[in-house]
Amino acid sequence: MNKKSILLGIVIIVVTCLTTGCIFYNYLEPTDFKEQFSARGYTVEKIEKADYEAKYISKATKEDVPYEVLYYQFGSEADAKKAYKSYKENLSNIITSDSSDVESKSSVLAKYECKSEKEYIIISRVKDTLIYVSTTVDYEKEIDDILEDIKY
């Protein structure tokens, strides 16, 4: 094999990973979510109902913090995309001239952050899973650090 073939192979792998997001996300099964958040001091429990119907739903709560982290595993990626879109559309009521919102997407990952003067909300979808957090801006860094650490 010559150097051009090796270089071309490396370029193809890098481009594929960059365009599909394979380097930037980590798919979490329900047990992975529980493990990751339990290790950070959260109580994680399976719940039957939340804002959307899903194959599996759990929430992570922690004493002394005014928020919960909702984790959904849907039956399909299409259902996860619908829930993501719906959550995002429902946030339009807090978006004002003083708030900001940012969205980033790849073929497998979608992330939406909305921040007002007092409130911080993040929705992160990877394949057929979704994580939703709504809290005050005081906890923005904590949430961002956790989601970055678990690559969501």
Side-chain angles (χ1 to χ4, degrees):
M1 206 182 312
N2 64 29
K3 288 181 183 181
K4 285 184 181 180
S5 297
I6 293 171
L7 184 59
L8 180 61
I10 292 171
V11 168
I12 289 171
I13 290 169
V14 168
V15 168
T16 301
C17 284
L18 289 174
T19 58
T20 64
C22 68
I23 294 174
F24 304 108
Y25 77 93
N26 180 37
Y27 181 79
L28 293 179
E29 292 284 346
T31 54
D32 300 326
F33 175 80
K34 183 174 185 172
E35 187 178 290
Q36 290 287 336
F37 278 83
S38 293
R40 289 170 171 79
Y42 288 80
T43 300
V44 181
E45 60 185 318
K46 182 178 180 188
I47 59 175
E48 296 302 316
K49 292 196 176 211
D51 297 326
Y52 301 97
E53 299 264 338
K55 187 167 95 174
Y56 186 91
I57 308 168
S58 64
K59 71 176 178 178
T61 56
K62 191 175 189 181
E63 201 170 311
D64 303 328
V65 295
Y67 64 83
E68 61 186 20
V69 179
L70 290 175
Y71 167 89
Y72 296 89
Q73 183 182 45
F74 293 92
S76 69
E77 192 169 334
D79 288 343
K81 286 180 179 180
K82 284 180 198 171
Y84 174 89
K85 182 179 177 187
S86 181
Y87 261 132
K88 185 179 157 198
E89 288 171 353
N90 290 337
L91 293 177
S92 62
N93 62 351
I94 71 161
I95 297 175
T96 66
S97 59
D98 295 333
S99 62
S100 62
D101 62 324
V102 176
E103 183 171 32
S104 55
K105 286 185 176 183
S106 74
S107 62
V108 293
L109 171 72
K111 190 173 196 174
Y112 182 74
E113 299 173 65
C114 184
K115 182 177 169 182
S116 68
E117 188 176 304
K118 296 179 182 178
E119 194 171 10
Y120 180 65
I121 299 169
I122 189 161
I123 312 159
S124 187
R125 182 194 61 80
V126 175
K127 296 185 180 182
D128 67 340
T129 65
L130 184 138
I131 291 178
Y132 174 85
V133 185
S134 177
T135 187
T136 64
V137 292
D138 300 331
Y139 294 92
E140 176 182 0
K141 182 170 177 8
E142 180 177 326
I143 293 299
D144 286 349
D145 289 348
I146 293 170
L147 293 180
E148 183 180 318
D149 190 40
I150 64 172
K151 294 181 176 73
Y152 254 73

